[in-house]
Amino acid sequence: MTIATGAGRQTGASALWALALVLAVAAAFGAYVYLAEGRSARAPAAAPEPAEAPAEAAAAGWVTDGRVQRADADDPGMWLAHGRTHEEQRFSPLAGIHRGNVAGLGVAWLKDLGTYHPVEATPLVVDGVMYFTAPWNVAYAVDAATGAELWSFDPGVPGETARAACCGVISRGLAVYEGRVHLATLDGRLLALDAGTGSKLWEVDTVIDREREYTITGAPRAAAGKVFIGNGGAEYGVRGYVTAYDAATGEQAWRFFTVPGDPSLGFESEAMAVAAQTWSGGAWWEIGGGGTVWNAIVYDPDFDAVYLGVGNGSPWTRAIRSPGGGDNLYLASIVAVDAATGEYRWHYQTVPGDNWDYTAVQDMALADLVVDGVERKVLMQAPKNGFFYVIDRSDGTLLRAHPYATVTWATRVDMETGRPIENPDTAYADAPQWILPGPGGGHNWQAMSWDAGRGLMYLGTHDLPFLYAMPEEYRETGVYKRRPGAWNTALEFGRLNQMIEAMENLPENKGYLIAFDPLTGQRVWTVEQAHAWNGGTLATAGDLVFQGDGTGHVSARDADTGEALWQAQTYASIVAPPITYAVDGEQYVAIMTGGGYLPDEAAATWKYGSHGQLIAFKLGGDVALTEPALRNLEIPEQRPITASAEDLDRGDVLYHEYCWACHGPGAKSPGGLPDLRLMTAESHDAFQAIVLGGTKQDTGMASFADLLDAQDVERIHQYIVSRAVKDRDAALAEASAAATPAE
Ligand code: CA
C-alpha cells in the first residue's frame, strides 16, 4: 500500500536528443589498458568471429556477437552485455584504476533517477554511450563521460502492475544489440528501441496468460540473432517459460516451458513429457507449478547453447504441489537448451523437490577451468540454496558443490549422485523451523565476479534465517486452492509475524563479502558487513574488487586481502552491481544506488529513505555528494483504536497476507516505500479510497477490492494504528528514560 507522498515514479519526458557523438573511438584504446604485472590477458573466445560490415560499425549501439566475443582484446573499455561479455564474469581488463591510485577516486558525474523504488540494474556502455533502465523500465541513453542525457523512453507500465511483482518495481537491465536497445517491461512486454534515438521499433507481448501475475524484472539477453527473455511470478502461481524472439523483427523463434502443464492436454516437448514423470499426486498446473526464469539467461558461444536459471515451485511447499513426491523437474535447475531451436540439451537440478523457494536463477559465470587436472569448460553458480556449483557445460556433469554460506536444510551434496542430502532435523511439515538459507538465499541475484588469474569468485552472501511453517489447514487436508492476485506459497505468512514476535533469542541476519575458491570451497577472505543485504561485485585487472553495500558505501578492496582501499558514502542503500568502462583513455566506475530490504538501522535507506541515482567515479572526480535530510521517523499521535481484539488480530493476519511484502513486517517499512505508521491525517481519512478505490494506483498502490472488503480494510487500518501506538509509546518511553538522570 503506497500511501505517503514523496518522490514518485519517473514520468520520462522522453526528450529525443540527436545522438551527436563521434563513435570512432576504437583507435584510442590500448593507451590506457595495461594489465597489472604478473597477469596475462585472457585468451579470446574460441568461437568463430562473424564478419561485420565496416559501415554498420558506426551505428549507435552496434554490438555484435563477434564484438562481444572479442571484447577483452578489442573493446576492453566497453561493457557490452549484462555481465560485460557472454561469459558474464564481470571482470574488466581495465587497470587504469589500481591498488596504488584508487584512493584518488571521486565522483565524476551523477544522475538523479527521482525514484524511491529499488534500483537493481547493470548499465551497459557502448562506444561512449551508457544505456540503462530505472524502475518502471524507463530507459536512458547518456553520454558516459558526462552523464548528459541523449534520450529517454518510458514504456508506460501501468502503476497497478506493481501489485503483481513480489519484490518491487524492479528492472535489472537491458540489452544492446545490432543498433537496438532491447527493453523488457514489468507488465511482460519486450521492446526494441532505436539505440540512436530511443524511438520504438517493435513490441511484443511475452505473457501467455493475462489472468496470471506474470512480471518481468530480469534483463533480456541478446545473442545469435535472438533476444531471450523469461519472467517472474512463482509466488503468485504461474508456469515458467523462456521465449526467444528474432532480434531484428520481434518474431517468436521458440519457447521453452520449465515445468509441465496439465498432462491431460499433452506436452509441448519431449522434455516436458520427461519432466511430468517427476511430478505426482497434485493438480500443480492449477496453481501454476512455478519454475520462473526471472534472472539468469546466459548465452554460450562455445556450444551455441543458452543456460536457463530456473526458479522455485508454485506453491513453495512440495506437500501441496506434488504430494506423491518426485523431483519436480525442472524446478531449481540449470537447463541448457539449443540457442537456435530451444531444444532441451541437459539439466542439473540443484534442489530436487524444492520446498524452500530455492531458485537457481542466480547469475551464472562461464569459464575455462582446470579441474582435477582436466581442462573443462565450466559454468559456475551460487544459487539460493547455499551451495556453490561448478558444472561442466558440455554435458551438465557436476564437478564441485561446496557450501558458500550457512546451510541447515541439507548436510552436503553427494558427489556420486549429484543430489543434496536433506537434513531431517529441519523438516518443517509438522512443526515450524528456522532454516538457512531462507527465501532470501545464501546469495541472491546480486552479481558475482570471477577473477580467473586468482581463481576466485567475489560475491556477497548472507545468513537470512526464515521461519518455515505450514498452516494447519493445508497440513491436515493437503488441499490448497489458488488465490488469484495473492501470494500462493502454501506457507504461513498471515500469522508469521505474530509467531516470530512471540519468540525469544531470534536468529540474527548477517551479511558478508567473500573471496571464494569454487574448487576447494575455501573462503580466501571474508568481510563481515554492517548490513545483511548488499550489492553485486565487480573485479578488475587493477587488482580491485568493487561493491556497494546496504549502508550506502561504495568500496574498492584489495583483491588479495579484502582490505578496503577506498570508500565513498552515497547516502542510499546499494543492491546493484558496479561496472567499469573507459572513454577517451579515462577509466570510470559506475553504480546505480537506491534500494532497501531489511528494516535495519544500519541501512542508508532506513536513515534517509531511498534515493535512486546513477553515480560515475573517476580519479580526481570532484563532484560532492550531499547528505540528504534524515527520514522523519517520529510517529504522529494516533486516533483512538475502535476495533475489538479479534478484529485487530484479523487485521494483523490480513496485513501480513497482503501488505507486508511492500510495507514491511509489523507495519515497519525498511524505507523506500511508505511506512504506514507515519501516515498523515489525510491518508487515514482516505484509507478505504486508497486500498479499495485504487486512488493511488499510478504510484504502484493498486486497488485490493478483488481480495478485501471494507470491513477487512478497516481491520487492517486499525491494526496499523495499533502498531503505530505501540511503537510511538515505546519511543516516548525510551526518550523519557534517556532524559531522566540515573540515580
Ligand atoms: Ca521465489
Side-chain angles (χ1 to χ4, degrees):
M1 287 174 247
T2 303
I3 290 173
T5 56
R9 61 177 298 185
Q10 280 288 335
T11 48
S14 291
L16 296 177
W17 292 28
L19 181 60
L21 288 177
V22 176
L23 298 172
V25 292
F29 296 155
Y32 58 83
V33 181
Y34 50 92
L35 295 164
E37 209 177 343
R39 300 184 57 84
S40 59
R42 293 180 298 172
E49 298 175 357
E52 285 148 39
E56 291 174 318
W62 196 256
V63 176
T64 62
D65 295 328
R67 208 172 161 193
V68 176
Q69 284 162 34
R70 292 188 301 267
D72 280 357
D74 295 350
D75 284 327
M78 308 285 172
W79 198 280
L80 298 175
H82 188 65
R84 190 174 157 269
T85 65
H86 293 314
E87 288 75 18
E88 304 214 355
Q89 295 183 357
R90 290 178 181 264
F91 179 94
S92 170
L94 295 181
I97 298 168
H98 53 74
R99 288 188 284 209
N101 64 12
V102 68
L105 269 193
V107 176
W109 57 265
L110 58 87
K111 183 170 178 61
D112 192 346
L113 305 175
T115 184
Y116 54 65
H117 291 285
V119 179
E120 300 189 353
T122 298
L124 307 186
V125 177
V126 184
D127 300 326
V129 179
M130 180 183 288
Y131 303 89
F132 61 94
T133 55
W136 299 106
N137 311 106
V138 179
Y140 293 90
V142 303
D143 182 322
T146 65
E149 191 171 313
L150 304 170
W151 56 258
S152 72
F153 177 86
D154 184 347
V157 174
E160 60 268 30
T161 312
R163 221 192 95 178
C166 71
C167 309
V169 179
I170 286 159
S171 168
R172 274 182 224 95
L174 40 67
V176 177
Y177 190 64
E178 296 182 346
R180 292 173 297 270
V181 171
H182 294 286
L183 180 69
T185 64
L186 194 69
D187 59 334
R189 293 170 289 142
L190 180 69
L191 291 79
L193 311 178
D194 182 305
T197 64
S199 59
K200 188 164 78 178
L201 299 172
W202 56 256
E203 173 178 331
V204 293
D205 185 0
T206 75
V207 176
I208 56 168
D209 181 355
R210 283 280 166 195
E211 298 298 307
R212 302 245 174 183
E213 292 80 7
Y214 283 105
T215 52
I216 300 178
T217 57
R221 309 300 204 277
K226 296 185 176 59
V227 188
F228 310 100
I229 191 69
N231 45 47
E235 271 57 69
Y236 293 81
V238 301
R239 182 187 182 198
Y241 60 90
V242 170
T243 317
Y245 297 91
D246 183 289
T249 65
E251 192 188 341
Q252 184 175 322
W254 52 257
R255 173 165 287 152
F256 183 88
F257 284 98
T258 58
V259 297
D262 181 349
S264 72
L265 302 177
F267 300 110
E268 293 87 355
S269 64
E270 178 62 23
M272 284 302 97
V274 169
Q277 305 295 316
T278 67
W279 296 65
S280 90
W284 69 85
W285 59 91
E286 285 176 5
I287 300 171
T292 49
V293 180
W294 54 260
N295 184 51
I297 300 175
V298 178
Y299 173 72
D300 183 349
D302 289 336
F303 296 97
D304 200 33
V306 181
Y307 306 118
L308 314 178
V310 184
N312 58 278
S314 282
W316 288 3
T317 52
R318 62 187 175 205
I320 296 293
R321 194 179 63 237
S322 186
D327 290 352
N328 292 185
L329 292 172
Y330 299 93
L331 294 182
S333 302
I334 296 161
V335 181
V337 301
D338 185 292
T341 64
E343 213 169 306
Y344 166 93
R345 289 220 186 130
W346 57 257
H347 77 275
Y348 175 76
Q349 187 173 41
T350 62
V351 184
D354 170 42
N355 206 22
W356 305 268
D357 185 27
Y358 285 163
T359 66
V361 307
Q362 282 55 46
D363 282 17
M364 299 178 223
L366 312 184
D368 296 339
L369 201 56
V370 176
V371 183
D372 303 326
V374 180
E375 204 166 305
R376 303 263 198 173
K377 292 196 175 297
V378 304
L379 177 159
M380 294 180 277
Q381 191 195 44
K384 276 188 186 177
N385 77 4
F387 293 98
F388 192 108
Y389 296 89
V390 181
I391 292 167
D392 187 321
R393 56 191 149 98
S394 69
D395 59 4
T397 300
L398 178 66
L399 301 172
R400 291 288 189 278
H402 293 294
Y404 66 82
T406 312
V407 176
T408 67
W409 72 278
T411 52
R412 65 190 174 88
V413 175
D414 181 331
M415 293 304 292
E416 292 299 312
T417 63
R419 298 174 69 91
I421 309 296
E422 287 186 23
N423 177 3
D425 297 342
T426 57
Y428 67 81
D430 296 324
Q433 294 273 7
W434 285 104
I435 295 175
L436 277 167
H443 160 250
N444 209 317
W445 59 269
Q446 288 95 331
M448 54 187 192
S449 50
W450 172 244
D451 185 330
R454 291 180 172 82
L456 293 177
M457 190 72 85
Y458 307 106
L459 72 158
T461 69
H462 33 246
D463 292 341
L464 300 171
F466 184 76
L467 188 66
Y468 287 82
M470 219 175 139
E472 216 169 323
E473 51 179 311
Y474 311 145
R475 206 162 63 216
E476 283 171 3
T477 63
V479 174
Y480 182 89
K481 196 163 161 36
R482 179 176 183 266
R483 298 175 301 167
W487 277 33
N488 288 278
T489 62
L491 270 189
E492 183 64 67
F493 275 97
R495 294 218 174 267
L496 194 63
N497 193 56
Q498 288 180 349
M499 291 162 68
I500 293 171
E501 288 188 344
M503 290 177 165
E504 282 171 5
N505 303 319
L506 294 177
E508 267 186 288
N509 294 327
K510 297 265 197 186
Y512 306 92
L513 174 65
I514 64 171
F516 187 80
D517 182 334
L519 294 181
T520 64
Q522 193 196 354
R523 292 169 187 78
V524 171
W525 51 258
T526 300
V527 174
E528 183 168 349
Q529 299 190 292
H531 186 61
W533 190 249
N534 303 295
T537 69
L538 160 72
T540 74
D543 301 305
L544 294 170
V545 179
F546 290 88
Q547 187 206 24
D549 66 34
T551 68
H553 289 93
V554 187
S555 305
R557 295 181 184 277
D558 186 320
D560 284 320
T561 64
E563 184 196 349
L565 302 176
W566 166 82
Q567 277 199 321
Q569 171 59 284
T570 68
Y571 306 107
S573 293
I574 301 172
V575 287
I579 64 158
T580 189
Y581 61 95
V583 181
D584 295 337
E586 179 90 61
Q587 186 182 349
Y588 297 78
V589 173
I591 193 164
M592 298 183 78
T593 71
Y597 183 72
L598 303 167
D600 173 348
E601 285 163 28
T605 294
W606 177 264
K607 282 185 207 155
Y608 304 108
S610 186
H611 305 282
Q613 292 192 312
L614 197 156
I615 305 177
F617 299 90
K618 67 174 181 181
L619 294 174
D622 59 1
V623 176
L625 291 172
T626 49
E627 184 173 358
L630 290 173
R631 193 167 152 230
N632 181 4
L633 288 166
E634 203 175 310
I635 299 172
E637 200 172 337
Q638 300 292 306
R639 301 164 183 204
I641 297 166
T642 54
S644 67
E646 292 95 86
D647 280 342
L648 283 181
D649 179 70
R650 183 71 191 141
D652 182 345
V653 170
L654 291 169
Y655 177 89
H656 290 97
E657 289 277 357
Y658 303 121
C659 317
W660 79 275
C662 291
H663 294 285
K668 185 178 181 184
S669 165
L673 292 186
D675 189 313
L676 302 181
R677 302 168 308 161
L678 309 177
M679 275 193 291
T680 61
E682 292 73 31
S683 290
H684 279 290
D685 289 341
F687 198 82
Q688 291 274 345
I690 294 166
V691 181
L692 294 180
T695 55
K696 290 193 183 266
Q697 74 170 23
D698 287 350
T699 68
M701 175 58 205
S703 165
F704 279 72
D706 56 329
L707 291 171
L708 300 168
D709 60 20
Q711 208 180 358
D712 282 341
V713 171
E714 185 52 23
R715 287 171 175 139
I716 292 171
H717 188 190
Q718 290 277 316
Y719 165 71
I720 292 164
V721 171
S722 75
R723 293 301 303 213
V725 168
K726 184 177 167 224
D727 293 347
R728 176 181 153 87
D729 288 352
L732 291 174
E734 199 179 316
S736 152
T740 309
E743 286 181 32

